[in-house]
Amino acid sequence: MDFGLTEQQKLIRDGARTYLREVCPGAYVRSMQRHPTGCPAEVWRKLSDMGWTGMLVPEDYGGAGLGLVEMGLVLEEMGAVAFPGPFFETAVIGTSALSLAGDERQKSSYLRRIADGSLTVSLAVQERDPAWQPSAIKCAADRRDEDWALSGEKLFVGDGTSAGLFIVAAADRSVSQAEAAVTLFLVPRETPGVRIGERWLTVDHDHQTGITFEAVEVGPDSVLGKVGGGWPTLRRLFLIGAAMKAVEMAGGARRVLEMTAEYARKREQFGKPIGGFQAVAHMVAEMAIYVESARNIAYQAIWRLAQGHDAAQEVALAKVWANEACVRTAELAHQSHGAIGFTQEHDLQIYTRRALAGRVTYGDSRDHRDAALASIHL
Amino acid sequence: MRFEFTLAEEAFRSQLLTWIGATLPPDYDSAADDSDDAQWKLTLRLRRELAGRGWLTLAWPKEYGGMGASPMTQLIFNEEMAFQRVPGRDAFGARMLAPTLMVHGTEEQRRRFLPSVARGEVQWCQGYSEPNSGSDLASLQTRAVDDGAEFVVNGTKIWTSLAHRADWIFLLARTDPEASKHKGISFLLCDMKTPGITVRPIINMAGEHHFNQITFEDVRVPKDQLVGGINQGWYVATTLLDFERSGIDYVTAARRVIADLAEYARSEPGSNGQRLADDGEFRARFALLAAEAEAARLLAYEVAWLQGQETLPTREASMSKVMGTRLMNKVTDFGLELLGAYGQLDRGSDAAKLRGRILRSRFECIAWTIFAGTNEIQKNIIAIRGLGLPRNY
């Protein structure tokens, strides 16, 4: 067991912490809620220049070739400042999808553009039944000779309002077995027949939307991975997404703990800091337990994934616990802050909203239940 | 970052498991009342076997005849012994008194008291709590008065586990009633056969005899049984010791209960042809408990890792204690609900499931959030020492 970081990892974490704290105060988060992509071009360029958008991109394609643990350190810090924008979908999910399943041409074209900051990517999987199961994928992929026609709708498409490239999960209606029917397609935003909905009103003020595909014609070179081989890739993306979301959530909860401890040290009632009352101090202590435990279990999952293990159980346990721990942390923070934490002007609500969004992103606890139960043979 | 044990650590775990498999009697009933005499005999036999293999003193430095094992190796030992529910470990002598003597004892005291502990031959108990001194331990009132070559001890100790089995007691007594409360306390070693000591059993709510009340009436303790100097007792008792204090026992007990309940849910026919294992509500609750248990386990691992880095994980150790002890309460309570009407059947009922253990454990772990520093005291430590909040008591 080793809970420590290498010197390089410490540098990555410290660099991320320093930059993100500077660029992303509460006022920035608020202004990005009205921004079309959630990230101004100059900030995105900076993320690319620092090597973050290409962190997981292999060096051969212009990236840094680093691993999931290093990316987790950046995401933890992004969670700590509630950093908005399409980074997660692009640099974590999009990159992983292309690295896992892309052919040489796809990798060479798209991974380079992710690394150089000229492309954002979004995964379009969930539909009316948002369960992460092959049977929930109803968007149809019909063969037209060599080509395919995609028809159907995708919901909860993260950063769908601005992504340049969609990774779309669709099912071949001529294949009866649900899992074998799933194929992934790379669909550029401007492809005819792709109708991108209005930006949704969401708890996190993020950039989700729905997309409708009206007989969208795509060629064989749009298939990501093997025809009928989409589900194993999606499953891996689901695990990566859940583990990385868990560490991002833990980062947010850590910041909430820091804010609350600071408030408890400074806010005075009855002539002394409220942190001097055990009723408050014990809530803050409970938060610390949630934060530390959520962080550890998230990194265990990430480390197992980074080692190339399946890690489905570790990921499920991590996401289930992060879902619980981070929302409980938010509740305790509100109780400790009193009325001020309930205002829009206070940053606490930003984190509470994020925790509630994170809880249902890359699997809610129900989606992860069976894998978590496999760890106890149930 | 590495979330796996080393090959050497895994080899040690295998060796330990092999020994447990070969040593634990096939008819061993870990659900039995461990205050029974028969159970106690087994405890003593296994303790001597552990001593023979050097595992009783796994954590001791080599210079004192120990194996000098790392905190992580100690954790593995404690984790497996707890998961397999093997009796025989010696908390008071080998894990608490011995390291205290190594740091604060005289050479003569070490020579006199350590070898019998290492051989597993002497049972120690700990005389700290008093009827009026629980969380506020430093307010203790047991007096030790200087009478030349001896101290004369008068007072009452309570919640003393194993006092009725113990040969010796280490206790805190007030030697200077004028000094501020932390500065007038001394750490004494006392033979339980000394005239003036009376042990009265206290039966816990589970009906078992673990702890006791001890009265000291003019008990004479030779001065060479004072450890660490007069009025230094608080310092001696609270010295942060190197031995593993990860709290792994708490979370491991809870993990074992989860494992037992999961097996039960798989094997028992439920209602209307649906197994308990297929019941949606129980599955949801099982999943959350499994996640919490994994998180608590990693917190304990983190404490041991930090200790191996030569840091003092005060805050993390308190977190682990709170999380592990609360988890045990949650899982045993869940267990009683899973068992439904059967959950009320105690050990000895023919129809009891899992030998009535869940009910026993449900009671037993009520003590866990209280002993070794209540969870409220632990949260004060986290808040004050870990997060810089003002002292609140």
mmCIF file of all heavy atoms in Angstrom, chain A residues 314-357:
data_model
loop_
_atom_site.group_PDB
_atom_site.id
_atom_site.type_symbol
_atom_site.label_atom_id
_atom_site.label_comp_id
_atom_site.label_asym_id
_atom_site.label_seq_id
_atom_site.Cartn_x
_atom_site.Cartn_y
_atom_site.Cartn_z
ATOM 1 N N GLU A 314 -14.156 -2.218 -7.829
ATOM 2 C CA GLU A 314 -13.548 -1.079 -7.124
ATOM 3 C C GLU A 314 -14.173 0.237 -7.575
ATOM 4 O O GLU A 314 -14.388 1.135 -6.761
ATOM 5 C CB GLU A 314 -12.040 -1.041 -7.370
ATOM 6 C CG GLU A 314 -11.259 -2.142 -6.666
ATOM 7 C CD GLU A 314 -11.146 -3.402 -7.498
ATOM 8 O OE1 GLU A 314 -11.864 -3.525 -8.512
ATOM 9 O OE2 GLU A 314 -10.322 -4.266 -7.149
ATOM 10 N N VAL A 315 -14.456 0.320 -8.885
ATOM 11 C CA VAL A 315 -15.071 1.548 -9.399
ATOM 12 C C VAL A 315 -16.471 1.714 -8.820
ATOM 13 O O VAL A 315 -16.854 2.802 -8.364
ATOM 14 C CB VAL A 315 -15.135 1.535 -10.941
ATOM 15 C CG1 VAL A 315 -15.988 2.692 -11.443
ATOM 16 C CG2 VAL A 315 -13.730 1.592 -11.529
ATOM 17 N N ALA A 316 -17.232 0.641 -8.817
ATOM 18 C CA ALA A 316 -18.602 0.725 -8.313
ATOM 19 C C ALA A 316 -18.606 1.132 -6.838
ATOM 20 O O ALA A 316 -19.380 1.994 -6.423
ATOM 21 C CB ALA A 316 -19.302 -0.623 -8.503
ATOM 22 N N LEU A 317 -17.739 0.508 -6.057
ATOM 23 C CA LEU A 317 -17.671 0.850 -4.630
ATOM 24 C C LEU A 317 -17.287 2.319 -4.460
ATOM 25 O O LEU A 317 -17.820 3.023 -3.598
ATOM 26 C CB LEU A 317 -16.667 -0.057 -3.916
ATOM 27 C CG LEU A 317 -17.064 -1.542 -3.836
ATOM 28 C CD1 LEU A 317 -15.862 -2.400 -3.430
ATOM 29 C CD2 LEU A 317 -18.219 -1.752 -2.869
ATOM 30 N N ALA A 318 -16.365 2.774 -5.314
ATOM 31 C CA ALA A 318 -15.911 4.162 -5.209
ATOM 32 C C ALA A 318 -17.030 5.140 -5.554
ATOM 33 O O ALA A 318 -17.232 6.140 -4.856
ATOM 34 C CB ALA A 318 -14.714 4.393 -6.141
ATOM 35 N N LYS A 319 -17.762 4.853 -6.621
ATOM 36 C CA LYS A 319 -18.803 5.804 -7.027
ATOM 37 C C LYS A 319 -19.970 5.780 -6.046
ATOM 38 O O LYS A 319 -20.515 6.830 -5.687
ATOM 39 C CB LYS A 319 -19.288 5.480 -8.449
ATOM 40 C CG LYS A 319 -20.226 6.540 -9.052
ATOM 41 C CD LYS A 319 -19.551 7.909 -9.154
ATOM 42 C CE LYS A 319 -20.279 8.908 -10.076
ATOM 43 N NZ LYS A 319 -21.650 9.187 -9.777
ATOM 44 N N VAL A 320 -20.329 4.600 -5.584
ATOM 45 C CA VAL A 320 -21.413 4.520 -4.604
ATOM 46 C C VAL A 320 -21.039 5.300 -3.339
ATOM 47 O O VAL A 320 -21.847 6.057 -2.795
ATOM 48 C CB VAL A 320 -21.740 3.044 -4.260
ATOM 49 C CG1 VAL A 320 -22.654 2.952 -3.043
ATOM 50 C CG2 VAL A 320 -22.378 2.351 -5.456
ATOM 51 N N TRP A 321 -19.795 5.146 -2.898
ATOM 52 C CA TRP A 321 -19.412 5.853 -1.679
ATOM 53 C C TRP A 321 -19.245 7.348 -1.922
ATOM 54 O O TRP A 321 -19.650 8.174 -1.096
ATOM 55 C CB TRP A 321 -18.149 5.257 -1.051
ATOM 56 C CG TRP A 321 -17.860 5.936 0.264
ATOM 57 C CD1 TRP A 321 -16.784 6.692 0.590
ATOM 58 C CD2 TRP A 321 -18.715 5.945 1.414
ATOM 59 N NE1 TRP A 321 -16.912 7.184 1.869
ATOM 60 C CE2 TRP A 321 -18.090 6.746 2.398
ATOM 61 C CE3 TRP A 321 -19.964 5.373 1.700
ATOM 62 C CZ2 TRP A 321 -18.662 6.979 3.658
ATOM 63 C CZ3 TRP A 321 -20.528 5.614 2.943
ATOM 64 C CH2 TRP A 321 -19.881 6.398 3.907
ATOM 65 N N ALA A 322 -18.692 7.723 -3.061
ATOM 66 C CA ALA A 322 -18.563 9.151 -3.363
ATOM 67 C C ALA A 322 -19.939 9.801 -3.436
ATOM 68 O O ALA A 322 -20.140 10.917 -2.946
ATOM 69 C CB ALA A 322 -17.806 9.355 -4.682
ATOM 70 N N ASN A 323 -20.887 9.114 -4.058
ATOM 71 C CA ASN A 323 -22.250 9.651 -4.148
ATOM 72 C C ASN A 323 -22.808 9.950 -2.761
ATOM 73 O O ASN A 323 -23.400 10.993 -2.522
ATOM 74 C CB ASN A 323 -23.169 8.646 -4.848
ATOM 75 C CG ASN A 323 -22.911 8.563 -6.343
ATOM 76 O OD1 ASN A 323 -22.187 9.383 -6.904
ATOM 77 N ND2 ASN A 323 -23.488 7.569 -6.985
ATOM 78 N N GLU A 324 -22.623 9.013 -1.862
ATOM 79 C CA GLU A 324 -23.127 9.175 -0.501
ATOM 80 C C GLU A 324 -22.329 10.258 0.243
ATOM 81 O O GLU A 324 -22.889 11.200 0.800
ATOM 82 C CB GLU A 324 -23.025 7.831 0.237
ATOM 83 C CG GLU A 324 -23.386 7.875 1.707
ATOM 84 C CD GLU A 324 -24.879 7.962 1.952
ATOM 85 O OE1 GLU A 324 -25.652 7.852 0.979
ATOM 86 O OE2 GLU A 324 -25.277 8.166 3.112
ATOM 87 N N ALA A 325 -21.017 10.098 0.242
ATOM 88 C CA ALA A 325 -20.155 10.932 1.089
ATOM 89 C C ALA A 325 -20.208 12.400 0.675
ATOM 90 O O ALA A 325 -20.246 13.287 1.527
ATOM 91 C CB ALA A 325 -18.720 10.410 1.029
ATOM 92 N N CYS A 326 -20.221 12.650 -0.621
ATOM 93 C CA CYS A 326 -20.124 14.045 -1.067
ATOM 94 C C CYS A 326 -21.435 14.794 -0.863
ATOM 95 O O CYS A 326 -21.431 15.985 -0.537
ATOM 96 C CB CYS A 326 -19.655 14.094 -2.518
ATOM 97 S SG CYS A 326 -17.996 13.398 -2.687
ATOM 98 N N VAL A 327 -22.553 14.113 -1.023
ATOM 99 C CA VAL A 327 -23.831 14.788 -0.771
ATOM 100 C C VAL A 327 -24.041 14.983 0.734
ATOM 101 O O VAL A 327 -24.508 16.037 1.174
ATOM 102 C CB VAL A 327 -24.986 14.017 -1.433
ATOM 103 C CG1 VAL A 327 -26.329 14.629 -1.047
ATOM 104 C CG2 VAL A 327 -24.817 14.044 -2.950
ATOM 105 N N ARG A 328 -23.646 14.012 1.523
ATOM 106 C CA ARG A 328 -23.741 14.193 2.986
ATOM 107 C C ARG A 328 -22.835 15.339 3.434
ATOM 108 O O ARG A 328 -23.184 16.117 4.311
ATOM 109 C CB ARG A 328 -23.336 12.914 3.720
ATOM 110 C CG ARG A 328 -24.237 11.708 3.514
ATOM 111 C CD ARG A 328 -25.580 11.819 4.212
ATOM 112 N NE ARG A 328 -26.589 12.448 3.359
ATOM 113 C CZ ARG A 328 -27.262 11.837 2.373
ATOM 114 N NH1 ARG A 328 -27.064 10.564 2.121
ATOM 115 N NH2 ARG A 328 -28.150 12.483 1.645
ATOM 116 N N THR A 329 -21.668 15.440 2.830
ATOM 117 C CA THR A 329 -20.754 16.541 3.160
ATOM 118 C C THR A 329 -21.416 17.884 2.881
ATOM 119 O O THR A 329 -21.333 18.815 3.686
ATOM 120 C CB THR A 329 -19.456 16.402 2.347
ATOM 121 O OG1 THR A 329 -18.839 15.163 2.685
ATOM 122 C CG2 THR A 329 -18.479 17.536 2.645
ATOM 123 N N ALA A 330 -22.091 17.980 1.738
ATOM 124 C CA ALA A 330 -22.764 19.231 1.387
ATOM 125 C C ALA A 330 -23.846 19.572 2.408
ATOM 126 O O ALA A 330 -23.978 20.721 2.841
ATOM 127 C CB ALA A 330 -23.359 19.123 -0.016
ATOM 128 N N GLU A 331 -24.602 18.565 2.799
ATOM 129 C CA GLU A 331 -25.659 18.809 3.795
ATOM 130 C C GLU A 331 -25.089 19.347 5.094
ATOM 131 O O GLU A 331 -25.605 20.293 5.688
ATOM 132 C CB GLU A 331 -26.401 17.502 4.102
ATOM 133 C CG GLU A 331 -27.331 17.044 3.007
ATOM 134 C CD GLU A 331 -27.966 15.693 3.332
ATOM 135 O OE1 GLU A 331 -27.498 14.991 4.259
ATOM 136 O OE2 GLU A 331 -28.921 15.346 2.651
ATOM 137 N N LEU A 332 -24.016 18.706 5.561
ATOM 138 C CA LEU A 332 -23.400 19.132 6.821
ATOM 139 C C LEU A 332 -22.826 20.539 6.685
ATOM 140 O O LEU A 332 -22.876 21.335 7.630
ATOM 141 C CB LEU A 332 -22.310 18.136 7.236
ATOM 142 C CG LEU A 332 -22.832 16.763 7.672
ATOM 143 C CD1 LEU A 332 -21.710 15.734 7.678
ATOM 144 C CD2 LEU A 332 -23.484 16.839 9.044
ATOM 145 N N ALA A 333 -22.300 20.851 5.506
ATOM 146 C CA ALA A 333 -21.749 22.187 5.278
ATOM 147 C C ALA A 333 -22.847 23.237 5.365
ATOM 148 O O ALA A 333 -22.664 24.301 5.951
ATOM 149 C CB ALA A 333 -21.066 22.242 3.908
ATOM 150 N N HIS A 334 -23.992 22.934 4.795
ATOM 151 C CA HIS A 334 -25.104 23.889 4.874
ATOM 152 C C HIS A 334 -25.552 24.094 6.314
ATOM 153 O O HIS A 334 -25.779 25.216 6.755
ATOM 154 C CB HIS A 334 -26.266 23.408 4.004
ATOM 155 C CG HIS A 334 -26.083 23.747 2.558
ATOM 156 N ND1 HIS A 334 -26.172 25.040 2.085
ATOM 157 C CD2 HIS A 334 -25.763 22.987 1.489
ATOM 158 C CE1 HIS A 334 -25.942 25.049 0.779
ATOM 159 N NE2 HIS A 334 -25.677 23.806 0.398
ATOM 160 N N GLN A 335 -25.662 23.008 7.038
ATOM 161 C CA GLN A 335 -26.104 23.144 8.430
ATOM 162 C C GLN A 335 -25.092 23.969 9.223
ATOM 163 O O GLN A 335 -25.473 24.778 10.067
ATOM 164 C CB GLN A 335 -26.296 21.750 9.052
ATOM 165 C CG GLN A 335 -26.995 21.769 10.389
ATOM 166 C CD GLN A 335 -28.418 22.323 10.297
ATOM 167 O OE1 GLN A 335 -29.078 22.232 9.272
ATOM 168 N NE2 GLN A 335 -28.879 22.940 11.368
ATOM 169 N N SER A 336 -23.813 23.793 8.929
ATOM 170 C CA SER A 336 -22.778 24.536 9.650
ATOM 171 C C SER A 336 -22.765 26.010 9.259
ATOM 172 O O SER A 336 -22.475 26.873 10.077
ATOM 173 C CB SER A 336 -21.389 23.939 9.361
ATOM 174 O OG SER A 336 -21.368 22.570 9.693
ATOM 175 N N HIS A 337 -23.058 26.291 7.998
ATOM 176 C CA HIS A 337 -23.019 27.677 7.530
ATOM 177 C C HIS A 337 -24.243 28.480 7.953
ATOM 178 O O HIS A 337 -24.186 29.712 8.014
ATOM 179 C CB HIS A 337 -22.907 27.724 5.990
ATOM 180 C CG HIS A 337 -21.507 27.660 5.480
ATOM 181 N ND1 HIS A 337 -20.826 26.479 5.341
ATOM 182 C CD2 HIS A 337 -20.643 28.632 5.087
ATOM 183 C CE1 HIS A 337 -19.611 26.722 4.869
ATOM 184 N NE2 HIS A 337 -19.477 28.027 4.716
ATOM 185 N N GLY A 338 -25.341 27.818 8.180
ATOM 186 C CA GLY A 338 -26.548 28.571 8.491
ATOM 187 C C GLY A 338 -27.063 29.295 7.262
ATOM 188 O O GLY A 338 -26.815 28.872 6.122
ATOM 189 N N ALA A 339 -27.759 30.405 7.476
ATOM 190 C CA ALA A 339 -28.489 31.071 6.394
ATOM 191 C C ALA A 339 -27.583 31.524 5.249
ATOM 192 O O ALA A 339 -27.965 31.420 4.081
ATOM 193 C CB ALA A 339 -29.254 32.266 6.949
ATOM 194 N N ILE A 340 -26.376 31.957 5.559
ATOM 195 C CA ILE A 340 -25.538 32.519 4.491
ATOM 196 C C ILE A 340 -25.244 31.491 3.399
ATOM 197 O O ILE A 340 -25.126 31.822 2.222
ATOM 198 C CB ILE A 340 -24.217 33.117 5.079
ATOM 199 C CG1 ILE A 340 -23.479 33.944 4.031
ATOM 200 C CG2 ILE A 340 -23.307 32.027 5.617
ATOM 201 C CD1 ILE A 340 -24.179 35.228 3.655
ATOM 202 N N GLY A 341 -25.146 30.225 3.790
ATOM 203 C CA GLY A 341 -24.849 29.173 2.816
ATOM 204 C C GLY A 341 -26.000 28.881 1.877
ATOM 205 O O GLY A 341 -25.841 28.184 0.873
ATOM 206 N N PHE A 342 -27.164 29.423 2.203
ATOM 207 C CA PHE A 342 -28.368 29.190 1.393
ATOM 208 C C PHE A 342 -28.554 30.279 0.346
ATOM 209 O O PHE A 342 -29.500 30.267 -0.409
ATOM 210 C CB PHE A 342 -29.579 29.128 2.340
ATOM 211 C CG PHE A 342 -30.877 28.752 1.682
ATOM 212 C CD1 PHE A 342 -31.022 27.535 1.027
ATOM 213 C CD2 PHE A 342 -31.962 29.618 1.718
ATOM 214 C CE1 PHE A 342 -32.219 27.190 0.421
ATOM 215 C CE2 PHE A 342 -33.166 29.275 1.115
ATOM 216 C CZ PHE A 342 -33.298 28.055 0.463
ATOM 217 N N THR A 343 -27.608 31.222 0.306
ATOM 218 C CA THR A 343 -27.750 32.325 -0.645
ATOM 219 C C THR A 343 -27.047 32.013 -1.962
ATOM 220 O O THR A 343 -26.103 31.225 -2.006
ATOM 221 C CB THR A 343 -27.139 33.623 -0.079
ATOM 222 O OG1 THR A 343 -25.730 33.400 0.125
ATOM 223 C CG2 THR A 343 -27.786 34.001 1.240
ATOM 224 N N GLN A 344 -27.509 32.708 -3.002
ATOM 225 C CA GLN A 344 -26.880 32.532 -4.301
ATOM 226 C C GLN A 344 -25.479 33.146 -4.317
ATOM 227 O O GLN A 344 -24.593 32.676 -5.020
ATOM 228 C CB GLN A 344 -27.746 33.198 -5.371
ATOM 229 C CG GLN A 344 -27.433 32.703 -6.754
ATOM 230 C CD GLN A 344 -28.566 32.993 -7.721
ATOM 231 O OE1 GLN A 344 -29.128 34.094 -7.729
ATOM 232 N NE2 GLN A 344 -28.924 32.020 -8.518
ATOM 233 N N GLU A 345 -25.299 34.209 -3.517
ATOM 234 C CA GLU A 345 -24.013 34.897 -3.553
ATOM 235 C C GLU A 345 -22.895 34.059 -2.922
ATOM 236 O O GLU A 345 -21.723 34.268 -3.200
ATOM 237 C CB GLU A 345 -24.109 36.250 -2.837
ATOM 238 C CG GLU A 345 -24.254 36.135 -1.334
ATOM 239 C CD GLU A 345 -24.432 37.493 -0.663
ATOM 240 O OE1 GLU A 345 -25.555 38.022 -0.696
ATOM 241 O OE2 GLU A 345 -23.448 38.003 -0.114
ATOM 242 N N HIS A 346 -23.260 33.121 -2.055
ATOM 243 C CA HIS A 346 -22.237 32.313 -1.396
ATOM 244 C C HIS A 346 -21.816 31.152 -2.303
ATOM 245 O O HIS A 346 -22.652 30.557 -2.995
ATOM 246 C CB HIS A 346 -22.785 31.762 -0.074
ATOM 247 C CG HIS A 346 -21.704 31.297 0.851
ATOM 248 N ND1 HIS A 346 -21.077 30.096 0.699
ATOM 249 C CD2 HIS A 346 -21.137 31.896 1.920
ATOM 250 C CE1 HIS A 346 -20.155 29.962 1.645
ATOM 251 N NE2 HIS A 346 -20.173 31.040 2.411
ATOM 252 N N ASP A 347 -20.532 30.833 -2.279
ATOM 253 C CA ASP A 347 -20.036 29.781 -3.176
ATOM 254 C C ASP A 347 -20.505 28.377 -2.796
ATOM 255 O O ASP A 347 -20.429 27.457 -3.619
ATOM 256 C CB ASP A 347 -18.499 29.787 -3.199
ATOM 257 C CG ASP A 347 -17.944 30.955 -3.999
ATOM 258 O OD1 ASP A 347 -18.748 31.686 -4.625
ATOM 259 O OD2 ASP A 347 -16.716 31.148 -3.986
ATOM 260 N N LEU A 348 -20.945 28.199 -1.571
ATOM 261 C CA LEU A 348 -21.294 26.838 -1.148
ATOM 262 C C LEU A 348 -22.310 26.187 -2.084
ATOM 263 O O LEU A 348 -22.193 25.007 -2.431
ATOM 264 C CB LEU A 348 -21.824 26.857 0.296
ATOM 265 C CG LEU A 348 -22.217 25.496 0.878
ATOM 266 C CD1 LEU A 348 -21.052 24.514 0.820
ATOM 267 C CD2 LEU A 348 -22.708 25.656 2.313
ATOM 268 N N GLN A 349 -23.301 26.963 -2.524
ATOM 269 C CA GLN A 349 -24.347 26.370 -3.378
ATOM 270 C C GLN A 349 -23.790 25.851 -4.705
ATOM 271 O O GLN A 349 -24.317 24.910 -5.275
ATOM 272 C CB GLN A 349 -25.490 27.364 -3.591
ATOM 273 C CG GLN A 349 -25.075 28.750 -4.066
ATOM 274 C CD GLN A 349 -25.113 28.892 -5.582
ATOM 275 O OE1 GLN A 349 -25.583 28.027 -6.290
ATOM 276 N NE2 GLN A 349 -24.584 30.001 -6.071
ATOM 277 N N ILE A 350 -22.700 26.461 -5.163
ATOM 278 C CA ILE A 350 -22.071 25.978 -6.399
ATOM 279 C C ILE A 350 -21.651 24.519 -6.217
ATOM 280 O O ILE A 350 -21.866 23.668 -7.091
ATOM 281 C CB ILE A 350 -20.832 26.844 -6.744
ATOM 282 C CG1 ILE A 350 -21.261 28.261 -7.128
ATOM 283 C CG2 ILE A 350 -20.007 26.193 -7.844
ATOM 284 C CD1 ILE A 350 -20.091 29.234 -7.300
ATOM 285 N N TYR A 351 -21.048 24.253 -5.060
ATOM 286 C CA TYR A 351 -20.536 22.900 -4.795
ATOM 287 C C TYR A 351 -21.660 21.905 -4.509
ATOM 288 O O TYR A 351 -21.586 20.738 -4.878
ATOM 289 C CB TYR A 351 -19.551 22.951 -3.625
ATOM 290 C CG TYR A 351 -18.285 23.675 -3.993
ATOM 291 C CD1 TYR A 351 -18.169 25.049 -3.830
ATOM 292 C CD2 TYR A 351 -17.226 22.981 -4.558
ATOM 293 C CE1 TYR A 351 -17.028 25.720 -4.199
ATOM 294 C CE2 TYR A 351 -16.067 23.638 -4.925
ATOM 295 C CZ TYR A 351 -15.976 25.016 -4.745
ATOM 296 O OH TYR A 351 -14.836 25.665 -5.121
ATOM 297 N N THR A 352 -22.695 22.399 -3.830
ATOM 298 C CA THR A 352 -23.829 21.518 -3.552
ATOM 299 C C THR A 352 -24.477 21.083 -4.864
ATOM 300 O O THR A 352 -24.801 19.903 -5.057
ATOM 301 C CB THR A 352 -24.853 22.269 -2.689
ATOM 302 O OG1 THR A 352 -24.173 22.751 -1.528
ATOM 303 C CG2 THR A 352 -25.988 21.351 -2.270
ATOM 304 N N ARG A 353 -24.632 22.035 -5.768
ATOM 305 C CA ARG A 353 -25.213 21.715 -7.071
ATOM 306 C C ARG A 353 -24.343 20.709 -7.829
ATOM 307 O O ARG A 353 -24.841 19.750 -8.420
ATOM 308 C CB ARG A 353 -25.339 23.004 -7.899
ATOM 309 C CG ARG A 353 -26.425 23.937 -7.399
ATOM 310 C CD ARG A 353 -26.333 25.311 -8.052
ATOM 311 N NE ARG A 353 -27.528 26.099 -7.762
ATOM 312 C CZ ARG A 353 -28.677 25.971 -8.445
ATOM 313 N NH1 ARG A 353 -28.753 25.124 -9.452
ATOM 314 N NH2 ARG A 353 -29.733 26.685 -8.118
ATOM 315 N N ARG A 354 -23.044 20.919 -7.747
ATOM 316 C CA ARG A 354 -22.118 19.996 -8.426
ATOM 317 C C ARG A 354 -22.203 18.591 -7.850
ATOM 318 O O ARG A 354 -22.126 17.601 -8.575
ATOM 319 C CB ARG A 354 -20.683 20.480 -8.231
ATOM 320 C CG ARG A 354 -20.277 21.501 -9.221
ATOM 321 C CD ARG A 354 -18.961 21.079 -9.800
ATOM 322 N NE ARG A 354 -18.889 21.528 -11.166
ATOM 323 C CZ ARG A 354 -17.837 21.309 -11.936
ATOM 324 N NH1 ARG A 354 -16.792 20.652 -11.455
ATOM 325 N NH2 ARG A 354 -17.831 21.714 -13.161
ATOM 326 N N ALA A 355 -22.311 18.507 -6.517
ATOM 327 C CA ALA A 355 -22.372 17.187 -5.881
ATOM 328 C C ALA A 355 -23.630 16.451 -6.329
ATOM 329 O O ALA A 355 -23.600 15.250 -6.626
ATOM 330 C CB ALA A 355 -22.340 17.330 -4.361
ATOM 331 N N LEU A 356 -24.736 17.196 -6.427
ATOM 332 C CA LEU A 356 -25.992 16.558 -6.846
ATOM 333 C C LEU A 356 -25.912 16.127 -8.308
ATOM 334 O O LEU A 356 -26.456 15.083 -8.678
ATOM 335 C CB LEU A 356 -27.165 17.522 -6.628
ATOM 336 C CG LEU A 356 -27.456 17.847 -5.154
ATOM 337 C CD1 LEU A 356 -28.529 18.925 -5.051
ATOM 338 C CD2 LEU A 356 -27.882 16.597 -4.392
ATOM 339 N N ALA A 357 -25.225 16.900 -9.117
ATOM 340 C CA ALA A 357 -25.056 16.511 -10.517
ATOM 341 C C ALA A 357 -24.112 15.322 -10.633
ATOM 342 O O ALA A 357 -24.389 14.353 -11.363
ATOM 343 C CB ALA A 357 -24.528 17.696 -11.324
#
